[in-house]
Amino acid sequence: MKEINILWFFFVFLHLSLFNEQKNNILKTRILTIAIAALVLSISAKTHAQVQWDKVFNKFKLEVRADGEITTTDSTPNLGIHGKYFNFMLGGDLGGNFSYYFKQRIVANPGTVTFFDNTDFLYLDYMPTQNWRLRFGKDAMALGGFEYDASPIDVYFPTNLWRNIYCFQLAFSGAYITDDGNHTFIAQVSNSPYINYNNLNYDAGLVAYNLYWAGNMGHFHTLWSTSMVEYKWNRYLNMTMLGFKLIYDKWDIYLDFMHHALALDDWGKNFGFVSCANYYFTDRFNIFIKGMYEQNKSSETLGSSVSLDHQLAAGHKTARYGLGFEWFPSEQKNVRLHIYGCRMTDSYTDATTGKDVTDAAWNFNLGATWTMDYHKLFKK
């Protein structure tokens, strides 16, 4: 009964936190919370007799991030404190080689395409052997790169591609994992993000085909992918993302290369790089330096919208670089404090005057992330 009481407390907290959503999203919210409660309570009531708690809920937590920041420009600076992320995560073993994972961003905005708009992950895994995995549900598109691979709550001053791509899509994938677990190869078919960009229905028929390799070769790691993303019926954008990372005890560094092309003669015009290095003074304090460059010199364009070109609008070049710190005050690392400053530039040719323009700004950010890990609490 202890587990049930704790779960009821959590359910009430979750329901109240979601209650303030906009009116046209309240029905969705209540359906979601009732479903969560039904799942949690039905499993909890049978815990002692049928299943082990640690297997059913091997992941069960809330995480939150809030930032205070100031961005300086030639005009009046923008400053304030805002909530960045509020995530609920649940995952575990369903038996029979099936498992699940659920991650919901708890936000006050209604969805625009489907019921699962604000759900990052909601998928079912089936592993008939230790080498093969089938997955169906809401998932991240299988794209390479270490910035892309990181949880959004852990990313600071990201690239334009990271900010603009609508990466969480309903998808089906098959994966092969080598015997030593060091290499994973994935073939995935997902909805195209252009369904979201163009405000289309889920049945618009646009898909993305993704091939992906994650490699672990000791200190050297890779996350590579190539994709064909349908933006109109039978019209594709090619995306190639190559991530490289070196990992040692006191430091690590990654370098990601991002490229996309709309035509055969469009190669080498629209690309970007991002790199981030960490040095760990202790296991609770580190300094990081990050820099990136992106450009779109393609004559091909999908429109004036930045998001349609994934990285940035045609004719633009952008750069960001900065320095920051992370500190975990306790050994449990349930609280993380961060601070960083970065320089941002955007260069382009003004369409009206024909003059080259460079917009520049500084961004300074101080924030905190805290995690409430109920799985660890229940184990105790």
Side-chain angles (χ1 to χ4, degrees):
M1 296 301 296
K2 178 181 178 182
E3 291 91 344
I4 296 178
N5 291 335
I6 294 175
L7 288 167
W8 263 116
F9 171 79
F10 171 73
F11 167 68
V12 172
F13 169 76
L14 178 63
H15 185 77
L16 291 174
S17 68
L18 291 169
F19 185 74
N20 290 325
E21 291 197 12
Q22 297 182 11
K23 292 182 179 179
N24 60 348
N25 206 34
I26 289 178
L27 180 58
K28 292 181 182 180
T29 298
R30 288 181 175 173
I31 293 173
L32 175 64
T33 53
I34 290 171
I36 294 171
L39 172 66
V40 168
L41 292 177
S42 64
I43 294 176
S44 300
K46 301 175 183 179
T47 296
H48 296 295
Q50 298 183 15
V51 298
Q52 295 181 16
W53 178 266
D54 283 350
K55 289 185 177 180
V56 175
F57 293 131
N58 59 34
K59 185 181 291 292
F60 185 16
K61 64 181 179 180
L62 286 168
E63 61 179 11
V64 185
R65 175 177 157 189
D67 292 4
E69 61 184 334
I70 178 171
T71 301
T72 65
T73 62
D74 294 335
S75 58
T76 304
N78 299 315
L79 71 159
I81 302 173
H82 62 115
K84 195 79 170 179
Y85 295 99
F86 184 17
N87 300 324
F88 167 60
M89 288 167 287
L90 194 67
D93 183 6
L94 297 175
N97 298 322
F98 286 94
S99 62
Y100 72 96
Y101 180 56
F102 170 49
K103 179 179 179 181
Q104 179 77 18
R105 294 194 198 192
I106 303 173
V107 298
N109 298 322
T112 57
V113 177
T114 70
F115 177 76
F116 299 122
D117 265 11
N118 298 319
T119 304
D120 287 356
F121 297 98
L122 182 55
Y123 58 71
L124 180 69
D125 274 353
Y126 174 63
M127 293 193 68
T129 72
Q130 66 176 4
N131 299 106
W132 292 96
R133 183 190 71 211
L134 299 177
R135 175 176 294 176
F136 176 72
K138 189 71 178 289
D139 196 6
M141 293 175 63
L143 304 179
F146 287 90
E147 181 187 62
Y148 176 88
D149 185 63
S151 176
I153 203 169
D154 298 326
V155 177
Y156 309 117
F157 57 99
T159 58
N160 289 282
L161 183 144
W162 187 96
R163 293 188 301 166
N164 294 329
I165 189 169
Y166 202 106
C167 64
F168 296 108
Q169 298 290 340
L170 288 166
F172 177 80
S173 66
Y176 174 75
I177 305 163
T178 57
D179 290 337
D180 57 11
N182 289 333
H183 300 273
T184 301
F185 301 91
I186 298 175
Q188 181 195 66
V189 179
S190 72
N191 278 343
S192 169
Y194 287 95
I195 291 176
N196 305 86
Y197 298 151
N198 295 315
N199 295 317
L200 302 175
N201 291 325
Y202 72 94
D203 56 357
L206 302 183
V207 296
Y209 303 96
N210 308 301
L211 295 176
Y212 174 94
W213 168 48
N216 178 353
M217 292 151 281
H219 296 294
F220 182 60
H221 295 237
T222 58
L223 293 177
W224 291 10
S225 71
T226 186
S227 307
M228 297 299 292
V229 182
E230 196 170 22
Y231 61 91
K232 290 182 181 179
W233 182 258
N234 207 30
R235 298 290 301 275
Y236 293 90
L237 174 147
N238 173 261
M239 294 185 64
T240 299
M241 300 180 66
L242 306 176
F244 309 84
K245 189 171 187 178
L246 286 173
I247 301 176
Y248 287 86
D249 291 338
K250 300 292 291 185
W251 63 274
D252 59 57
I253 184 172
Y254 70 73
L255 173 65
D256 294 342
F257 170 73
M258 307 161 288
H259 181 276
H260 89 238
L262 289 165
L264 290 176
D265 60 353
D266 200 33
W267 291 85
K269 299 176 182 178
N270 193 329
F271 64 85
F273 295 94
V274 57
S275 182
C276 183
N278 288 279
Y279 183 80
Y280 303 94
F281 293 95
T282 70
D283 62 348
R284 292 163 50 188
F285 179 73
N286 71 283
I287 182 174
F288 65 88
I289 183 170
K290 185 176 182 180
M292 64 203 69
Y293 171 82
E294 297 169 277
Q295 72 170 37
N296 186 343
K297 293 185 176 181
S298 174
S299 58
E300 300 280 344
T301 180
L302 294 176
S304 59
S305 171
V306 171
S307 62
L308 289 181
D309 280 305
H310 282 320
Q311 291 179 220
L312 67 164
H316 284 248
K317 296 186 295 182
T318 66
R320 289 184 177 89
Y321 48 90
L323 177 73
F325 301 88
E326 290 181 320
W327 176 48
F328 298 87
S330 67
E331 292 183 1
Q332 290 76 23
K333 295 187 175 181
N334 292 327
V335 177
R336 179 186 65 199
L337 306 178
H338 72 262
I339 184 172
Y340 69 78
C342 74
R343 179 71 168 172
M344 306 177 294
T345 63
D346 180 19
S347 301
Y348 58 94
T349 300
D350 188 276
T352 303
T353 64
K355 295 182 178 180
D356 292 335
V357 178
T358 297
D359 297 326
W362 284 96
N363 177 250
F364 299 96
N365 185 296
L366 173 66
T369 303
W370 58 100
T371 301
M372 294 147 280
D373 195 328
Y374 294 95
H375 177 252
K376 289 184 178 179
L377 176 64
F378 295 151
K379 289 182 68 174
K380 294 179 180 180

